[in-house]
Amino acid sequence: ALLAPLVASAPRLAWLQSTFAGCNQLLDVPRRDYTVTRLAGCFGPDMGEYCTLHILALERQYEEQRRMQSRAEWAASRASAGFTYRRLSSLTLGVLGLGDIGSEIARVAHHGLRMKVIGCRRDPAPRDTDASAGVSRVLGMDGLAELFASADYIVSVLPSTPATRGLIDGSVLSAAAASRRDGAQPPTKPPVLINVGRGDVIGESTALEALERGWLGHFVSDVFAPEPLRAESPLWAHPKATVTSHNSAVTQPEDVAAAFADNLERFERGGVEALREGGATFDWEAGY
């Protein structure tokens, strides 16, 4: 965001190192004759921890436990108080977007929490990273409703592009709900959506409708469009919504320094072609 206005005044610019995973602001500048490297490989573990936090908080009813503590109230019966939970090994996580961040979230969920993991991306062809991350099945984007119908938790790490804006809409969520309802063994609860990608993948009104209609059991979002989330948004006070302030993964100075040093070595060795071989270059056409 800070560098985008300066690009026009740097006529000899050949390479720009971003300090963020997303570089959408650069798309607002017409110039495309330079290479951008994203800050990659460091946000996945942090976002994996964020998702783990909210999955466990919801399954173990952390908020209600805290409320009871504030009232000095001891549950006479765990069952009557509603303190039943599902073992994570019995649950399925769906990851929407299986790049380096999504694959790391999948790895944490499968190897750390023993969850079954399925995924969804533009190209569903198998990759070596799928197996190592514990992803058992990958759907194409036309299988989005199937992903929501099959998973207990869905994490979206999708970027903001023309193809992804509004992608999770009422038609997808209602179709998934109908499929779950009509299935041979429907899940006992509606799925939970955790959005750590970009806020415009699902509209605020869509999220609210999905919660009211029971298409989603809970909505956890760290990202919104626009940001900050407006103070009058019903999401702030909704009992089935969790709002955080775009802090699931924060840029750390040491990560920027390490990425820059690594890419500088590549650039000095082989120019922009060597940067592209590193796999973290921004794709102007795809938008990420």
Side-chain angles (χ1 to χ4, degrees):
L2 295 175
L3 288 175
L6 302 178
V7 168
S9 61
R12 299 175 58 191
L13 178 65
W15 162 48
L16 187 152
Q17 172 66 56
S18 173
T19 59
F20 300 101
C23 306
N24 300 78
Q25 295 89 345
L26 295 173
L27 294 171
D28 297 331
V29 181
R31 188 175 172 187
R32 298 284 189 276
D33 62 343
Y34 63 101
T35 297
V36 179
T37 45
R38 300 176 295 104
L39 187 57
C42 55
F43 295 118
D46 294 4
M47 289 188 176
E49 292 174 3
Y50 176 94
C51 294
T52 299
L53 163 71
H54 290 287
I55 290 171
L56 288 171
L58 288 168
E59 285 301 316
R60 293 300 186 118
Q61 297 150 74
Y62 175 77
E63 292 296 335
E64 180 57 27
Q65 302 263 21
R66 291 290 295 173
R67 282 190 289 269
M68 291 186 67
Q69 179 179 341
S70 70
R71 300 190 298 262
E73 178 183 348
W74 184 277
S77 166
R78 289 188 292 271
S80 63
F83 292 131
T84 58
Y85 59 87
R86 300 175 294 182
R87 287 180 172 164
L88 299 188
S89 58
S90 71
L91 303 181
T92 298
L93 176 73
V95 180
L96 186 50
L98 281 171
D100 64 285
I101 294 175
S103 294
E104 178 62 18
I105 291 172
R107 188 195 67 77
V108 169
H110 180 70
H111 296 292
L113 304 179
R114 300 171 295 121
M115 299 179 76
K116 177 183 177 181
V117 181
I118 58 178
C120 187
R121 63 170 174 249
R122 285 193 307 168
D123 180 7
R127 300 176 185 173
D128 292 341
T129 52
D130 298 335
S132 61
V135 180
S136 61
R137 184 163 60 111
V138 179
L139 303 166
M141 299 309 289
D142 58 351
L144 188 58
E146 183 179 349
L147 183 84
F148 273 86
S150 303
D152 300 285
Y153 287 83
I154 298 97
V155 175
S156 174
V157 292
L158 291 176
S160 175
T161 71
T164 63
R165 290 177 197 127
L167 181 68
I168 303 175
D169 60 14
S171 63
V172 168
L173 297 174
S174 61
S179 178
R180 294 167 74 90
R181 193 168 52 245
D182 299 337
Q185 292 181 319
T188 56
K189 297 181 179 180
V192 172
L193 174 60
I194 303 174
N195 190 9
V196 293
R198 285 295 179 262
D200 55 9
V201 171
I202 179 170
E204 180 183 335
S205 60
T206 299
L208 288 165
E209 181 183 11
L211 293 172
E212 295 304 319
R213 291 180 176 266
W215 300 337
L216 291 177
H218 201 93
F219 178 55
V220 179
S221 192
D222 189 51
V223 287
F224 301 90
E227 291 183 354
L229 179 65
R230 58 196 179 93
E232 61 272 20
S233 170
L235 287 173
W236 287 107
H238 200 291
K240 294 182 180 180
T242 301
V243 173
T244 59
S245 306
H246 206 145
N247 55 23
S248 62
V250 178
T251 299
Q252 303 294 334
E254 59 269 27
D255 292 331
V256 177
F260 177 74
D262 187 43
N263 285 325
L264 179 60
E265 187 278 328
R266 285 193 176 92
F267 185 72
E268 290 178 332
R269 172 169 45 85
V272 295
E273 289 303 320
L275 289 174
R276 295 190 182 104
E277 292 171 4
T281 52
F282 182 69
D283 187 326
W284 294 107
E285 295 299 321
Y288 58 90

